[in-house]
């Protein structure tokens, strides 16, 4: 007989713990609708009427596809309408101011 060292058995592979079911597979959430993101960005920072447009389009797409982002689309709509109204009032006041300046300068001649 040859002198060989004793062989060791590999450690047992851990299996599922008795009494507990295995974890279910992780379900990834659906993606966020890109138009909803654009609605908030355009409505708050760039050009509010585009925020209104993208918000409406996003809500329609989300209803059909089941994507996430209805809150972003709603926020983009609300902010878009508010900023559009503020900009509209600003333009009206500015036009009234410029109009009175023009009328006032020609009346004194």
């Amino acid at each position: 007989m040859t002198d060989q060292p004793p062989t060791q058995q590999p450690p047992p592979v851990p299996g599922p713990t008795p009494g507990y079911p295995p974890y279910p597979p992780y379900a990834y959430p659906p993606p966020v609708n890109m138009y909803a993101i654009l609605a908030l960005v355009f409505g708050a920072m760039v050009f509010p009427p585009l925020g209104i447009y993208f918000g409406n389009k996003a809500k329609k797409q989300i209803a059909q596809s089941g994507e996430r982002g209805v809150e972003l689309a709603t926020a983009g709509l609300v902010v878009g309408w508010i900023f559009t109204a503020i900009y509209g009032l600003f333009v009206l006041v500015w036009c009234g101011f410029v109009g009175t300046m023009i009328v006032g300068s020609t009346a004194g001649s």
Side-chain angles (χ1 to χ4, degrees):
M1 284 188 103
T2 62
D3 290 329
Q4 291 183 350
T7 58
Q8 294 181 349
Q9 293 292 336
V13 177
T17 308
Y20 293 103
Y23 289 116
Y26 181 72
Y28 292 101
V32 177
N33 186 287
M34 184 58 70
Y35 283 134
I37 296 169
L38 288 174
L40 188 57
V41 170
F42 276 95
M45 293 181 240
V46 181
F47 188 62
L50 279 178
I52 297 167
Y53 170 75
F54 284 134
N56 285 326
K57 190 152 181 81
K59 283 190 161 201
K60 289 177 186 174
Q61 282 187 354
I62 290 169
Q64 290 176 352
S65 67
E67 292 177 313
R68 295 183 302 155
V70 71
E71 297 88 3
L72 293 173
T74 303
L77 274 169
V78 170
V79 170
W81 277 112
I82 290 172
F83 281 163
T84 299
I86 290 171
Y87 291 162
L89 287 174
F90 174 76
V91 168
L92 284 176
V93 169
W94 184 80
C95 288
F97 180 72
V98 170
T100 57
M101 295 291 285
I102 292 172
V103 170
S105 67
T106 59
S109 301

